[in-house]
Amino acid sequence: MYVYDEHDRQIAAERVAQFRDQTERALAGELSEDEFLPLRLQNGLYVQRLAPMLRICVPYGMLRSDQLRRLARITRDYDKGYAHFTTRQNVQLNWPALEDVPDILAELAEVEMHANQTSGNCIRNTTTDQFSGVQVDEVVDPRPYCEIIRQWSTFHPEFAFLPRKFKVAVNASEKTDRAAIQVHDIGLQMVRNDQGELGFRVHVGGGLGRTPMVGPVIRDFLPEFDLLTYLEAVLRVYNRYGRRDNKFKARIKILVKALTPEGFAEKVEAEWSHIKDSPTRLTRDAIERIQGYFTEPAYEALDNASELLATQRFENRRFDQWLSHNIDSHKKPGYAIVTLTMKETGTPPGDVSDTQLEQIAELADAYSFGEVRVTHQQNVVLADVRQDQLFELWQRIEPMGFATANLNTLTDVICCPGGDYCALANAKSIPVAESIQRRFDDMDFLYDLGEIDLNISGCMNACGHHHVGNIGVLGVDKKGEEFYQVSLGGSSHHDATIGKILGPSFAQDDMPEVIAKIIDVYVNNRKEEEPFLETYRRIGIEPFKERVYA
Amino acid sequence: MPDIISKDGAITSDAWVVVPRPADGESLDIPDQPALIPADLWLAGKEHFEGRDDIGVWFDSHDEPELLEGLVNELKLIAVNFPKFSDGRGYSIGRLLRERFGYQNELRAIGDVLLDQLQFMKRCGFDSYALREDKDASKAARSLTFFSQGYQAATDTDVPLFRRRAS
């Protein structure tokens, strides 16, 4: 994992001092609301329905155990003893006091953390696959490139006041896309060309929100050394020509659509031709230095523990279920990737208490070289667990509530904080998630259903990624009452698709039944093991409409 | 008259005035003192201003600096307007004037120029700042030096941090 050097430490310390100065001037009335707004947003600070909310950056989802412990302490000392894992691999505090924020930032800086650019019209935290570096089928570990982008985008003097927020995601797996790169402003797919050289396929202009779009490819192969100069060219074209007259039309996707992907690509290439050989061009040495921070931990030479696991599975059915659903295969023999689920029914998806944060830190130290990854599905991954320790780990996490074996099933809901916390929301989202989780509490039935992404957002801003859920739920406001619109057929993977709206919206109380009817249609129409999405694609939306609105 | 901040934070003042774009059908009214006029109008009447060092130009945030490519060093002062401090187009214009078109003389930020954006402006090639009049000019020096280094190359340095680390 990346470790700060003296330069990073100095910049982080200067940032804390700067924000302290800005907060003091805001409190003293020297900065107006309007003037302070983008400054605090670029430090992750929202003013919400009930209190300010602080979004803390977890670069590409990586956290060390000392950072988890510090987060736990911060939630105790400055908040109400819990935090929230977001759908952008970040962490949010829901109740900090404005005047405490500089102190919180100083505490974070001590453990090499910050809240830079977690909000506002700037380049946000770069996200990637939570299984980076440990999965079997990746082209190369994408995290060093994410760190290179993080450094380049941090306080970039030209791009601090873009037309709108800007999100970059990187994926390096050939088969899966856990980072959902095609619904980002820039999606970078790592590839090798015919000569075996490493580079990126560049998607631009994907996104959710009001105008959901799958990002078209504007360059098939960008050599790795050209990463930053090319990003700079894309951002410069966007900064100059993106719309600023209407906030709903200000995302880069609107510009790409207006110019056409080909037209946009031409503009970028023209800009890039001037700067591609500038000193911003990466060097082999610079890439290797960052890669040096992401070397493999001290794995032991092990064999797969297949026999042991088979016996343990045979003896314990719940362990067997957990192993089937919450474990992924690791590139090293004898190791496994474990996902701790933060989706226990009755707790808002992604919420963790201070004690749980400390428990996760302990687990990381005991079983996974002291590191964890936060996923955009709001779960936590222990990436390097010895297979012969899986049973012991499972026994420890069951009572903690991290072993709900529902990963990727219907009840592994992606959900924004919604109207319970968020000032932007039109409707609550957490109670809807909970009522659906309660309706589907039969694990065997869930396993039968297989993988279904259920994504819930409390408003158009789509923090719950509802457009790309196989089943998407969007909270809408109808004359002051909360209603829910359902869409079907979305996907955030390599076959990225925006879901189709089913029809008129529903009252909150009806939602579990609506979902049950949708599931019913699927079960009655599926062929053998066919996943939900395939059945939907085969039979279309009509049978669902007929049943739900009958 | 707004205070003019220099890039080391010193507070100065000068006689340059910004001449607004005349309404359609109106002619440009150049005052009897050093004046900044809209860049396209300067270009249109260039012969007329030949040899005058008391005429500079200003770009609005939606203007294209490409307009003066090859001519920028005929001007002693170029200004870029930030109509609202949150309109970031001026940063790109600054870098293009300096890094692409090789502008050597004074580059001034005008308009909604506040304290917390000064260091970004400096890094993008601006070396004087017409601070909005209600802002405390004595705090400008601090705002210009919040950070002692940046990660990126920009107008102020062509050595990004990853190259400085290598040496």
Side-chain angles (χ1 to χ4, degrees):
Chain A
M1 190 169 150
Y2 188 68
V3 179
Y4 281 14
D5 68 3
E6 75 270 28
H7 301 284
D8 301 295
R9 275 193 295 275
Q10 183 183 39
I11 292 170
E14 287 168 349
R15 174 53 155 174
V16 174
Q18 180 193 37
F19 193 68
R20 197 178 290 283
D21 182 85
Q22 290 170 339
T23 304
E24 282 164 10
R25 281 185 285 127
L27 291 170
E30 291 174 43
L31 278 168
S32 71
E33 287 271 308
D34 272 6
E35 292 163 9
F36 186 49
L37 177 82
L39 306 181
R40 67 172 164 74
L41 287 181
Q42 299 213 356
N43 230 311
L45 188 63
Y46 286 78
V47 175
Q48 287 290 28
R49 191 155 285 192
L50 302 164
M53 179 196 86
L54 181 65
R55 186 179 292 155
I56 297 164
C57 188
V58 181
Y60 35 92
M62 297 290 299
L63 277 173
R64 295 192 307 258
S65 55
D66 62 314
Q67 296 174 323
L68 283 160
R69 291 194 177 91
R70 179 58 60 95
L71 285 172
R73 197 175 95 185
I74 289 172
T75 67
R76 261 195 306 274
D77 292 351
Y78 299 95
D79 205 297
K80 297 190 176 179
Y82 68 94
H84 175 79
F85 289 119
T86 77
T87 57
R88 296 273 317 152
Q89 299 183 300
N90 288 326
V91 176
Q92 273 167 207
L93 300 181
N94 284 323
W95 311 92
L98 175 61
E99 55 275 22
D100 287 340
V101 170
D103 291 337
I104 297 175
L105 294 176
E107 293 225 18
L108 289 171
E110 282 175 12
V111 292
E112 304 181 359
M113 293 185 77
H114 59 78
N116 299 330
Q117 294 168 216
T118 53
S119 181
N121 296 334
C122 54
I123 305 169
R124 305 285 191 87
N125 185 19
T126 300
T127 50
T128 190
D129 186 329
Q130 66 265 26
F131 296 163
S132 295
V134 292
Q135 62 191 331
V136 184
D137 76 327
E138 74 189 0
V139 178
V140 67
D141 188 343
R143 292 170 301 167
Y145 299 91
C146 294
E147 175 59 27
I148 286 168
I149 297 171
R150 183 192 75 83
Q151 297 192 12
W152 165 79
S153 61
T154 298
F155 314 134
H156 196 299
E158 187 178 346
F159 306 131
F161 295 95
L162 296 171
R164 201 74 177 83
K165 58 188 170 184
F166 201 91
K167 300 177 180 181
V168 183
V170 188
N171 184 49
S173 161
E174 288 167 319
K175 296 200 197 82
T176 55
D177 177 12
R178 294 185 196 87
I181 63 165
Q182 295 181 62
V183 291
H184 282 75
D185 295 293
I186 294 183
L188 298 167
Q189 173 66 42
M190 301 210 69
V191 287
R192 277 189 196 280
N193 66 6
D194 296 342
Q195 286 80 53
E197 293 158 343
L198 200 60
F200 304 89
R201 184 173 67 237
V202 184
H203 296 258
V204 174
L208 300 174
R210 203 166 278 254
T211 320
M213 243 182 290
V214 172
V217 174
I218 65 156
R219 195 169 228 282
D220 287 316
F221 186 78
L222 177 73
E224 57 175 327
F225 303 109
D226 297 318
L227 173 64
L228 297 184
T229 52
Y230 195 81
L231 289 180
E232 197 142 307
V234 173
L235 264 298
R236 182 170 289 164
V237 169
Y238 173 54
N239 189 42
R240 294 184 67 188
Y241 302 110
R243 285 183 64 170
R244 290 172 185 267
D245 58 329
N246 179 342
K247 114 176 218 199
F248 300 115
K249 300 202 165 159
R251 293 290 287 269
I252 195 172
K253 61 191 170 188
I254 305 291
L255 179 64
V256 172
K257 202 175 169 195
L259 295 173
T260 75
E262 298 72 32
F264 181 82
E266 266 173 43
K267 261 188 144 33
V268 171
E269 294 287 326
E271 177 57 42
W272 186 47
S273 70
H274 293 286
I275 56 175
K276 63 190 296 239
D277 297 315
S278 73
T280 297
R281 187 167 195 269
L282 286 164
T283 59
R284 166 71 56 204
D285 173 74
I287 294 174
E288 282 176 357
R289 175 165 319 100
I290 302 287
Q291 282 171 333
Y293 290 104
F294 295 89
T295 50
E296 285 186 356
Y299 292 124
E300 288 177 55
L302 301 171
D303 289 326
N304 281 327
S306 317
E307 273 177 45
L308 174 69
L309 288 173
T311 316
Q312 291 166 335
R313 295 178 88 133
F314 183 73
E315 287 167 356
N316 192 313
R317 188 161 164 276
R318 287 168 70 89
F319 176 66
D320 177 46
Q321 286 181 341
W322 179 74
L323 216 54
S324 306
H325 291 92
N326 293 20
I327 305 301
D328 283 85
S329 46
H330 196 285
K331 65 176 183 183
K332 289 282 172 198
Y335 283 86
I337 305 171
V338 175
T339 301
L340 308 177
T341 47
M342 307 285 131
K343 305 290 177 68
E344 210 179 19
T345 301
T347 353
D351 268 16
V352 275
S353 69
D354 57 336
T355 326
Q356 285 179 317
L357 285 167
E358 281 162 350
Q359 286 170 333
I360 297 169
E362 255 171 66
L363 295 169
D365 285 338
Y367 299 100
S368 199
F369 301 100
E371 289 179 7
V372 304
R373 293 113 184 267
V374 182
T375 80
H376 85 268
Q377 293 92 346
Q378 305 171 285
N379 293 316
V380 172
V381 168
L382 298 176
D384 298 297
V385 180
R386 284 175 60 142
Q387 291 175 3
D388 57 11
Q389 295 184 331
L390 284 170
F391 189 73
E392 179 191 312
L393 171 64
W394 173 74
Q395 286 180 311
R396 282 183 66 174
I397 64 175
E398 261 238 311
M400 296 173 183
F402 299 148
T404 312
N406 65 346
L407 191 67
N408 300 331
T409 68
L410 182 65
T411 58
D412 183 17
V413 182
I414 296 186
C415 182
C416 70
D420 290 300
Y421 300 101
C422 177
L424 302 171
N426 290 322
K428 293 190 175 70
S429 49
I430 293 167
V432 177
E434 190 180 333
S435 65
I436 295 168
Q437 284 170 332
R438 290 198 190 283
R439 178 73 172 68
F440 293 89
D441 58 351
D442 177 349
M443 292 307 282
D444 286 326
F445 183 60
L446 283 179
Y447 297 153
D448 260 359
L449 294 177
E451 296 198 358
I452 303 182
D453 299 338
L454 171 62
N455 297 0
I456 307 177
S457 307
C459 76
M460 281 295 192
N461 291 303
C463 295
H465 306 172
H466 63 277
H467 299 108
V468 290
N470 300 161
I471 302 176
V473 176
L474 166 67
V476 290
D477 176 273
K478 274 197 195 169
K479 297 180 187 138
E481 276 193 74
E482 298 183 0
F483 279 84
Y484 297 87
Q485 189 182 70
V486 174
S487 57
L488 298 180
S491 165
S492 65
H493 301 276
H494 274 316
D495 59 349
T497 317
I498 305 299
K500 230 168 140 174
I501 294 166
L502 187 61
S505 52
F506 308 97
Q508 187 180 319
D509 290 349
D510 297 334
M511 282 307 293
E513 206 41 45
V514 169
I515 301 297
K517 284 177 183 167
I518 291 168
I519 295 301
D520 233 25
V521 175
Y522 162 55
V523 171
N524 291 332
N525 285 279
R526 84 193 284 198
K527 289 183 174 167
E528 290 153 28
E529 297 289 287
E530 196 179 45
F532 178 86
L533 192 59
E534 278 175 37
T535 305
Y536 170 82
R537 284 177 176 165
R538 187 168 50 75
I539 67 174
I541 202 164
E542 281 311 317
F544 294 95
K545 265 190 183 163
E546 279 167 27
R547 177 84 167 84
V548 171
Y549 296 104
Chain B
M1 291 288 285
D3 286 321
I4 303 299
I5 310 294
S6 65
K7 75 173 177 181
D8 57 7
I11 306 166
T12 62
S13 66
D14 59 35
W16 287 93
V17 291
V18 179
V19 180
R21 175 173 295 281
D24 281 345
E26 304 281 311
S27 63
L28 192 66
D29 191 12
I30 299 180
D32 198 17
Q33 66 187 108
L36 292 161
I37 63 176
D40 57 317
L41 299 182
W42 176 81
L43 188 64
K46 196 170 163 304
E47 317 77 52
H48 184 66
F49 303 115
E50 212 76 61
R52 285 187 63 174
D53 66 357
D54 60 345
I55 298 291
V57 305
W58 66 276
F59 287 100
D60 211 342
S61 65
H62 57 265
D63 289 337
E64 307 256 311
E66 282 83 353
L67 190 70
L68 296 192
E69 187 171 359
L71 303 173
V72 286
N73 284 316
E74 295 184 19
L75 294 153
K76 198 174 146 192
L77 179 62
I78 297 180
V80 177
N81 185 39
F82 290 78
K84 187 85 192 76
F85 76 93
S86 53
D87 180 344
R89 287 176 286 193
Y91 299 105
S92 290
I93 296 175
R95 287 193 70 183
L96 289 171
L97 287 170
R98 291 287 194 207
E99 294 171 52
R100 185 141 323 149
F101 310 137
Y103 179 55
Q104 301 285 336
N105 304 322
E106 186 175 338
L107 182 61
R108 178 171 297 181
I110 59 172
D112 198 25
V113 177
L114 314 180
L115 291 166
D116 292 284
Q117 290 73 40
L118 293 180
Q119 194 164 16
F120 289 138
M121 290 170 176
K122 180 167 135 188
R123 294 212 58 205
C124 290
F126 292 89
D127 50 7
S128 72
Y129 321 92
L131 192 67
R132 207 176 71 190
E133 285 179 59
D134 60 322
K135 293 295 163 191
D136 183 353
S138 71
K139 293 191 172 168
R142 163 104 177 96
S143 297
L144 280 160
T145 53
F146 275 132
F147 292 98
S148 51
Q149 61 174 330
Y151 283 106
Q152 318 75 6
T155 308
D156 60 340
T157 171
D158 58 5
V159 192
L161 182 53
F162 69 78
R163 288 182 189 266
R164 299 202 297 280
R165 279 172 169 147
S167 56

